[in-house]
């Protein structure tokens, strides 16, 4: 277990949306996930973290604690209907 990178100024709903993406990326690395499910989480995430530079910062922080890359999962989703990064 690790601490997820979060901004504590976010609302509860925003935290839930960001956590949903983190969980979806974990799923992509651990068991696989559909493009539809991953992208639905990503769309909510970018509503909360709307600047590219912030997205990169959170991706880096998430990768440091989990070993998983949001960027790699989203890139794979561009060309595949099933994302499996095991």
């Amino acid at each position: 277990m690790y601490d997820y990178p979060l901004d504590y100024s976010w609302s509860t709903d925003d935290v839930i949306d960001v956590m949903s993406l983190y969980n979806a990326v974990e799923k992509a690395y651990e068991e696989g996930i559909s493009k539809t499910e991953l992208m639905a989480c990503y769309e909510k995430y970018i509503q909360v973290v709307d600047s590219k530079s912030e997205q990169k910062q959170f991706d880096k922080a998430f990768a440091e604690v989990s070993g998983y890359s949001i960027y790699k999962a989203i890139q794979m989703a561009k060309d595949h209907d099933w994302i499996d990064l095991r």
Side-chain angles (χ1 to χ4, degrees):
M1 192 69 190
Y2 42 83
D3 291 324
Y4 292 98
L6 299 170
D7 181 331
Y8 293 98
S9 69
W10 292 336
S11 71
T12 301
D13 288 340
D14 290 346
V15 170
I16 290 168
D17 289 342
V18 171
M19 291 292 298
S20 292
L21 178 67
Y22 292 160
N23 292 329
V25 171
E26 289 173 343
K27 194 172 176 182
Y29 276 86
E30 295 171 2
E31 60 190 75
I33 189 170
S34 72
K35 175 180 184 170
T36 305
E37 185 178 350
L38 178 64
M39 294 311 291
C41 293
Y42 183 67
E43 290 299 322
K44 289 181 180 179
Y45 168 80
I46 61 174
Q47 296 301 313
V48 177
V49 184
D50 58 352
S51 89
K52 288 288 185 187
S53 63
E54 263 192 313
Q55 290 170 18
K56 288 178 184 178
Q57 289 171 351
F58 279 102
D59 186 18
K60 181 179 178 183
F62 180 67
E64 286 174 2
V65 296
S66 69
Y68 303 148
S69 169
I70 296 168
Y71 176 79
K72 286 181 183 176
I74 298 305
Q75 286 302 110
M76 188 171 188
K78 289 182 178 180
D79 298 322
H80 299 86
D81 289 331
W82 185 255
I83 296 77
D84 190 338
L85 294 164
R86 286 180 276 185

